[in-house]
Amino acid sequence: MNSADNAADIPAASSGAETTDERFERGLALLRTLGGQERPAVLDSLADIAPDLGHMTVAFGYGDVMSRPGLSLRQREIATVAALAALGNAAPQLRFHIDGALNVGVSAAEVVEILIHTAVYAGFPAALNGIGAAREVFEKRPDAAATPVDSEPLPGDRYERGLAKLAEVDGHAGDQVVASMQDIAPDLARYIVEFAFGDIYSRPALDLKCREIASVAMCTALGTAAPQLRVHIHGLLNVGGSREEVIEVITQMAGYAGFPAALNGITAAREVFEERGAGQ
Amino acid sequence: MNSADNAADIPAASSGAETTDERFERGLALLRTLGGQERPAVLDSLADIAPDLGHMTVAFGYGDVMSRPGLSLRQREIATVAALAALGNAAPQLRFHIDGALNVGVSAAEVVEILIHTAVYAGFPAALNGIGAAREVFEKRPDAAATPVDSEPLPGDRYERGLAKLAEVDGHAGDQVVASMQDIAPDLARYIVEFAFGDIYSRPALDLKCREIASVAMCTALGTAAPQLRVHIHGLLNVGGSREEVIEVITQMAGYAGFPAALNGITAAREVFEERGAGQ
Amino acid sequence: MNSADNAADIPAASSGAETTDERFERGLALLRTLGGQERPAVLDSLADIAPDLGHMTVAFGYGDVMSRPGLSLRQREIATVAALAALGNAAPQLRFHIDGALNVGVSAAEVVEILIHTAVYAGFPAALNGIGAAREVFEKRPDAAATPVDSEPLPGDRYERGLAKLAEVDGHAGDQVVASMQDIAPDLARYIVEFAFGDIYSRPALDLKCREIASVAMCTALGTAAPQLRVHIHGLLNVGGSREEVIEVITQMAGYAGFPAALNGITAAREVFEERGAGQ
């Protein structure tokens, strides 16, 4: 599922006590892989007034965080694209990471699918503006140009299909969310089943583990969805993710949405891990 | 107050078990009313790389959600314009819905007033940038061009006027918010009375029910204002809104700010409804 | 530390019961100082469709809030620039206040440093896009043009340096945050020490009190960082800020992020003040 190993020639992040030069060099190597350029644009674009920020972006953002083991670079870019699209306020970075995702093994069809997935967590404007960013990137890349992604209609009833998918992701917790709204907003519960799980999660273009990596990334980055973050930490664990992978996705968000977002995400993870006990 | 009935020729949303084609056709009819075009631009703009997202926007966003009974299309557009302006990260959609609002019976003066109202919940930058979006839309419409909205000075003392308006919207809860801040931030309490209620809520260009629809929409969409969302769910009920209307505004936000925002809004509504008991 | 007194010729805000004309005139005087123009652009830019919003921006935003005693205008602009950069959705206002900050005694190097500081609370995209806004402003000002800010490497080990700085800001609370994550995300704790405090807070270009003013402003405006807001209210008090200054920073955010953000900030301040008891 995540067999892509694009980080082959990037040294692993060590745990502290290394020099800033080593961190910078490791970040630079990763950025070259991601951006496809010998000299990352972020360094040049900051050289005039904030060269230190450029250096930190490389040494911390890429040398420390994005170089960590525990997730493939492909998975990390799925998380980043989802989070930046959901935040909706960082168009240049979203374009960079859509391009980066394509460079580390995410297909154009998968990029589109991640952006469609953001509609569930951040609304249609986020998804639509994300597609706009993707179009700008795709137009510059002949390899991504010819990608009209139009699925076949999904088989069966939307509600039944959504209910099965919801059970796959959330186990009994999904039923409870739906049941808990019958008294007050039954149609919103129905839309979660029909639209979020029947229409979106059921689409074959992105596997469930990638979807849940994206969901955890978005709920962490937005910072406004604590109950849903807990549900989808469970979800990621339910569809084959490990606790380490959960922590990696959340930690990565420190770079894209700030430390408070990551810290509050860790609080949610701790609660979920305690609920699940020693097992998985 | 909401006698505008622009949804006359749009079939009502049924409760599940209908075909996707029926949902799409209903959404298309609504979008034609809203956008004033035979062929909605959102379909063409996504046709190249994400046609399914275009289809979902129509079938789910408009066919399921915006077609629901319980609020007029005019009220729904007031909620959407307020929410998108408050989020501040979806300029193309904000322009589309300002235009849409004008097409379903919201006047240019009311659009301006909704955007001024957002200053209270999302700050002046949101209001100012919202006005910028409105200007772009108005410039393309001769019917909205000549609308300098300059009110007469409101009568009486700002504080007294605000206190009376606050009581009208919040009942005793407003007093409590003001009283609870006397120990630590009395001037912020004073600004709420003078500015939010004395200057803004007292303006005649938008009635209180529309203001509270906008307030509930913004607090739900932002996702960072849970205590204030509860206050304004009470407020909407206090100024003549029904529980159904509260649920409709919150449900609609699933499409503009994502399902977590709507779900957390429903949690707030449940708390308020329980507080108020069986009555209104 | 904050000896700059750029509000010399601006009358102090009175506590209610004054006329709107007086408030407007006071706001206008402040805006002239801040924007460096006889006639503030915000009035002209709104004159066509929302002149009342222009009037309110001046009378409330500048005449009431920004004219308050308790913080210098320099400190207020540090708070505003940080908050707008962190929100990431108000580029025109961010540019205006970067220019305003330069006009009231914030140096170009300090502006850059505030924006670098935002990386900790809102992520690298916020910092990078903030620098982009600063560049646009600097290019128009010969006095800010020649400002490549490149620090000398900071002395000593990043972790040790960060730990000392964390203790200076947070006292024992910092240790507890780090300790509390050893079970589940020790590397994220390490990054807080190494990157947030060792790399960023240790930079000499901005003093700790200004950094904590910026941190409180950002956590209040984002509205998604309640635990961190409490930590940094403690922090601001620990590095020489007063309770009055805490309240001023939070109150100011009503204008930039809306009243719910400010109200929830006051709730956090009340909790911190109670924890600390009668003393400081």
Side-chain angles (χ1 to χ4, degrees):
Chain A
M1 190 179 291
N2 43 61
S3 58
D5 185 7
N6 305 84
D9 55 353
I10 300 168
S14 83
S15 53
E18 60 177 346
T19 69
T20 293
D21 280 355
E22 290 166 332
R23 298 167 54 238
F24 183 81
E25 287 306 319
R26 186 174 54 239
L28 202 57
L30 191 151
L31 255 179
R32 282 178 185 138
T33 302
L34 203 58
Q37 293 187 303
E38 179 62 19
R39 167 96 182 159
V42 73
L43 289 174
D44 293 329
S45 75
L46 294 169
D48 55 346
I49 57 172
D52 288 358
L53 181 59
H55 192 277
M56 281 175 198
T57 305
V58 176
F60 176 69
Y62 293 94
D64 287 345
V65 178
M66 292 293 273
S67 297
R68 295 171 58 81
L71 286 176
S72 70
L73 202 42
R74 180 185 131 84
Q75 291 171 315
R76 291 195 181 277
E77 285 300 282
I78 288 171
T80 295
V81 167
L84 293 177
L87 288 169
N89 58 6
Q93 289 75 30
L94 177 57
R95 289 192 297 267
F96 177 81
H97 285 283
I98 288 172
D99 193 61
L102 295 173
N103 287 338
V104 298
V106 182
S107 70
E110 286 172 321
V111 165
V112 168
E113 195 62 32
I114 296 161
L115 296 169
I116 290 176
H117 190 81
T118 65
V120 175
Y121 295 92
F124 278 91
L128 296 170
N129 296 332
I131 293 293
R135 179 179 299 107
E136 290 183 56
V137 174
F138 291 178
E139 282 171 355
K140 294 186 184 160
R141 295 181 64 124
D143 60 333
T147 320
V149 186
D150 208 347
S151 348
E152 297 298 302
L154 297 171
D157 176 73
R158 293 170 75 224
Y159 194 86
E160 291 306 316
R161 186 173 65 228
L163 216 51
K165 194 57 71 173
L166 180 60
E168 206 176 333
V169 174
D170 287 345
H172 293 302
D175 296 349
Q176 286 167 15
V177 167
V178 171
S180 75
M181 292 205 294
Q182 293 308 319
D183 58 333
I184 183 169
D187 285 351
L188 182 60
R190 180 165 62 81
Y191 295 151
I192 291 174
V193 175
E194 286 179 352
F195 173 69
F197 287 89
D199 287 349
I200 305 260
Y201 271 83
S202 297
R203 291 164 60 87
L206 199 67
D207 65 53
L208 281 183
K209 186 172 170 183
C210 289
R211 289 192 184 275
E212 286 305 88
I213 286 174
S215 302
V216 168
M218 285 189 276
C219 289
T220 301
L222 287 170
T224 49
Q228 292 76 29
L229 176 56
R230 288 191 295 270
V231 165
H232 290 283
I233 291 171
H234 275 296
L236 178 49
L237 296 172
N238 289 343
V239 299
S242 67
R243 293 188 183 195
E244 182 191 7
E245 288 172 323
V246 168
I247 297 297
E248 285 304 318
V249 174
I250 293 172
T251 298
Q252 185 177 323
M253 292 302 114
Y256 297 103
F259 278 89
L263 286 169
N264 296 333
I266 293 296
T267 298
R270 182 180 294 111
E271 290 172 14
V272 170
F273 294 176
E274 285 172 4
E275 267 177 52
R276 295 174 81 102
Q280 188 57 265
Chain B
M1 189 178 290
N2 44 60
S3 58
D5 186 5
N6 306 85
D9 54 351
I10 299 167
S14 82
S15 53
E18 59 177 348
T19 71
T20 293
D21 280 355
E22 288 165 333
R23 298 167 54 237
F24 183 82
E25 287 305 319
R26 186 173 54 238
L28 202 58
L30 190 153
L31 255 179
R32 282 178 185 137
T33 302
L34 203 58
Q37 293 187 302
E38 179 62 20
R39 168 93 182 159
V42 73
L43 289 174
D44 292 329
S45 75
L46 294 169
D48 55 345
I49 59 173
D52 288 357
L53 181 59
H55 191 278
M56 282 175 198
T57 305
V58 176
F60 175 69
Y62 293 94
D64 287 346
V65 179
M66 293 294 273
S67 298
R68 294 170 58 81
L71 285 176
S72 70
L73 201 43
R74 180 184 131 83
Q75 291 171 316
R76 291 195 180 276
E77 284 301 280
I78 289 171
T80 295
V81 167
L84 292 177
L87 288 169
N89 58 6
Q93 289 75 30
L94 177 57
R95 287 192 298 268
F96 177 81
H97 285 283
I98 288 173
D99 194 61
L102 294 173
N103 288 338
V104 299
V106 182
S107 71
E110 285 172 323
V111 165
V112 168
E113 195 61 33
I114 296 161
L115 296 169
I116 290 177
H117 190 81
T118 65
V120 175
Y121 295 92
F124 279 90
L128 296 169
N129 296 332
I131 293 293
R135 179 178 300 106
E136 291 183 57
V137 174
F138 291 178
E139 283 171 355
K140 294 186 185 159
R141 296 180 63 124
D143 60 334
T147 320
V149 186
D150 206 346
S151 348
E152 297 298 302
L154 297 171
D157 176 74
R158 293 170 76 223
Y159 194 86
E160 291 306 317
R161 185 172 66 229
L163 217 51
K165 194 59 70 174
L166 180 61
E168 206 177 332
V169 174
D170 286 347
H172 293 303
D175 297 348
Q176 287 167 15
V177 168
V178 171
S180 75
M181 292 204 295
Q182 292 309 318
D183 59 332
I184 184 169
D187 285 351
L188 183 60
R190 180 165 63 82
Y191 295 150
I192 292 174
V193 175
E194 286 180 352
F195 173 70
F197 287 89
D199 288 349
I200 306 262
Y201 271 82
S202 297
R203 293 163 61 86
L206 199 66
D207 65 53
L208 282 182
K209 185 171 171 184
C210 289
R211 289 193 186 275
E212 287 304 271
I213 286 172
S215 301
V216 168
M218 285 189 277
C219 290
T220 302
L222 287 170
T224 50
Q228 291 76 30
L229 176 56
R230 289 191 295 269
V231 166
H232 290 283
I233 290 171
H234 275 296
L236 178 49
L237 297 172
N238 289 342
V239 299
S242 67
R243 293 187 183 196
E244 181 190 8
E245 287 173 324
V246 167
I247 297 298
E248 285 304 316
V249 173
I250 294 172
T251 298
Q252 185 176 322
M253 292 303 113
Y256 297 103
F259 278 90
L263 286 169
N264 296 333
I266 293 296
T267 298
R270 181 180 294 111
E271 291 172 15
V272 170
F273 294 175
E274 285 172 3
E275 268 176 51
R276 296 174 80 101
Q280 186 58 266
Chain C
M1 190 178 292
N2 44 61
S3 58
D5 186 7
N6 304 85
D9 54 352
I10 300 166
S14 82
S15 52
E18 60 177 347
T19 69
T20 293
D21 280 354
E22 289 165 333
R23 299 167 54 236
F24 183 81
E25 287 304 320
R26 187 174 53 239
L28 201 58
L30 191 152
L31 255 179
R32 283 177 184 138
T33 302
L34 204 58
Q37 293 185 302
E38 178 62 20
R39 167 94 183 161
V42 72
L43 289 174
D44 293 329
S45 75
L46 294 169
D48 54 346
I49 57 173
D52 288 358
L53 181 60
H55 192 278
M56 281 174 197
T57 305
V58 176
F60 176 69
Y62 293 95
D64 287 346
V65 179
M66 293 294 273
S67 299
R68 293 170 59 81
L71 286 176
S72 70
L73 201 43
R74 181 185 130 83
Q75 291 171 316
R76 290 195 182 277
E77 285 300 281
I78 289 171
T80 295
V81 167
L84 292 178
L87 288 170
N89 58 5
Q93 289 75 29
L94 177 57
R95 288 192 298 268
F96 176 81
H97 285 283
I98 288 173
D99 193 60
L102 295 173
N103 288 339
V104 298
V106 183
S107 70
E110 287 173 320
V111 165
V112 168
E113 196 61 33
I114 295 161
L115 296 169
I116 290 177
H117 190 82
T118 65
V120 175
Y121 296 91
F124 279 90
L128 296 170
N129 296 332
I131 293 293
R135 179 179 299 106
E136 290 183 57
V137 174
F138 291 178
E139 283 171 355
K140 293 185 185 160
R141 295 181 64 124
D143 61 332
T147 320
V149 186
D150 207 346
S151 351
E152 297 298 301
L154 297 171
D157 176 75
R158 294 171 73 225
Y159 193 86
E160 291 306 316
R161 186 173 64 230
L163 217 50
K165 194 58 72 176
L166 180 60
E168 205 176 334
V169 174
D170 286 346
H172 293 303
D175 297 349
Q176 286 168 15
V177 167
V178 171
S180 75
M181 293 204 295
Q182 293 308 319
D183 58 333
I184 183 169
D187 285 352
L188 182 60
R190 181 165 63 80
Y191 295 150
I192 291 174
V193 175
E194 286 180 351
F195 173 70
F197 288 89
D199 287 350
I200 306 260
Y201 271 82
S202 297
R203 292 164 61 86
L206 199 67
D207 65 53
L208 281 183
K209 186 170 169 184
C210 289
R211 289 192 185 276
E212 287 305 88
I213 286 173
S215 302
V216 169
M218 285 189 277
C219 289
T220 302
L222 287 170
T224 49
Q228 293 75 31
L229 176 56
R230 288 190 295 269
V231 166
H232 290 283
I233 291 171
H234 275 296
L236 178 49
L237 296 172
N238 289 343
V239 300
S242 67
R243 293 187 183 196
E244 182 190 9
E245 289 173 323
V246 168
I247 297 297
E248 285 304 316
V249 174
I250 293 171
T251 299
Q252 186 176 323
M253 292 303 114
Y256 297 103
F259 278 90
L263 287 169
N264 296 332
I266 293 295
T267 298
R270 181 179 294 113
E271 291 172 14
V272 170
F273 294 176
E274 284 172 2
E275 268 177 51
R276 295 173 82 101
Q280 187 56 266

